Amino acid sequence: AQSVAQPEDQVNVAEGNPLTVKCTYSVSGNPYLFWYVQYPNRGLQFLLKYITGDNLVKGSYGFEAEFNKSQTSFHLKKPSALVSDSALYFCAVRASRRDSSYKLIFGSGTRLLVRP
Amino acid sequence: GAGVSQSPRYKVAKRGQDVALRCDPISGHVSLFWYQQALGQGPEFLTYFQNEAQLDKSGLPSDRFFAERPEGSVSTLKIQRTQQEDSAVYLCASNPKSEGAYSNQPQHFGDGTRLSIL
């Protein structure tokens, strides 16, 4: 079964410090991995994706993510956090088998709180 | 419009009532997904359309849930005889291409409909 785990319910970081939001996955075949961000009362906004190629993926708003196949991880990172980055972050894997419609399977989310 | 539009944004219904939630995907988008997001949880897949064809409804929790996309654009998610456990945010997402082994486009999400069943 395909799944995504986000082991931290909340991550706290001071503005200007680097941040990491963790994600591990379990999938058959090659993984298609995504990060989305959700602000209060809003839908999910796409940040970045890993399909193939370089293990370090750069995305929107200065975020990047590192794909590690041996550790089955896809951690989200940013070198310098902003207060405005405070939001709910979801890691997702796309189901790869044709009979599962390529739906996204989401983790439970990690709340990022950046303090001034 | 520029993005995926969902209406209403908020819906309150009494237990036992029927509700209908609407999704207007980005114009021309082939794929359309519905997800259910319970409070404090990640979204969970409900159903998937490719144009007007409902290709996967494996995530619908019961036969009280029904979705349609008759002309391959607007979609409606209907819940009959609502129960309190149906309270959640219902998210719609669209994708420009047909889903397939080589499709790597991100899904574009609407802001959701927050459904509260009293």
Side-chain angles (χ1 to χ4, degrees):
Chain A
Q2 296 169 107
S3 64
V4 174
Q6 293 182 245
E8 303 153 316
D9 290 337
Q10 182 162 315
V11 169
N12 298 308
V13 65
E15 188 173 32
N17 283 0
L19 69 88
T20 298
V21 182
K22 295 180 180 177
C23 171
T24 58
Y25 65 90
S26 173
V27 64
S28 57
N30 294 321
Y32 288 6
L33 296 160
F34 299 81
W35 275 101
Y36 283 84
V37 60
Q38 187 175 38
Y39 295 97
N41 299 315
R42 300 298 301 276
L44 278 69
Q45 295 179 29
F46 169 74
L47 282 179
L48 50 79
K49 66 182 180 184
Y50 173 82
I51 305 299
T52 187
D54 291 342
N55 290 342
L56 186 64
V57 178
K58 294 189 182 297
S60 305
Y61 313 118
F63 283 94
E64 57 191 27
E66 186 171 9
F67 172 68
N68 187 316
K69 187 173 183 178
S70 63
Q71 297 185 5
T72 62
S73 67
F74 188 55
H75 300 332
L76 181 70
K77 300 181 179 184
K78 187 173 183 180
S80 178
L82 300 173
V83 172
S84 58
D85 291 331
S86 298
L88 192 56
Y89 290 80
F90 290 97
C91 181
V93 64
R94 169 165 289 167
S96 58
R97 295 183 59 183
R98 187 160 184 82
D99 62 359
S100 59
S101 76
Y102 304 95
K103 64 194 176 195
L104 290 176
I105 299 166
F106 288 89
S108 56
T110 298
R111 186 166 301 282
L112 174 65
L113 182 60
V114 182
R115 59 184 184 275
Chain B
V4 178
S5 178
Q6 292 188 247
S7 60
R9 288 295 316 278
Y10 303 92
K11 176 69 178 178
V12 179
K14 293 182 178 179
R15 187 164 60 94
Q17 289 183 329
D18 298 348
V19 298
L21 312 180
R22 178 187 170 103
C23 172
D24 282 85
I26 295 172
S27 178
H29 276 201
V30 171
S31 296
L32 186 146
F33 298 80
W34 284 98
Y35 293 86
Q36 180 190 59
Q37 186 178 18
L39 187 64
Q41 301 295 319
E44 293 192 357
F45 170 79
L46 293 176
T47 188
Y48 161 63
F49 289 86
Q50 182 176 306
N51 295 308
E52 69 278 4
Q54 189 176 20
L55 298 186
D56 188 344
K57 53 182 181 180
S58 63
L60 296 176
S62 76
D63 59 7
R64 296 186 296 105
F65 287 71
F66 172 78
E68 61 183 4
R69 193 186 185 198
E71 298 180 356
S73 55
V74 171
S75 178
T76 302
L77 176 67
K78 298 179 179 178
I79 309 174
Q80 298 177 324
R81 305 181 303 281
T82 52
Q83 303 294 318
Q84 285 192 322
E85 62 263 28
D86 300 335
S87 296
V89 175
Y90 291 85
L91 296 168
C92 176
S94 70
N95 182 297
K97 295 183 183 295
S98 300
E99 295 298 326
Y102 302 102
S103 171
N104 59 14
Q105 298 297 314
Q107 294 177 19
H108 302 262
F109 283 81
D111 285 339
T113 294
R114 182 176 297 276
L115 176 64
S116 299
I117 304 301
L118 304 179

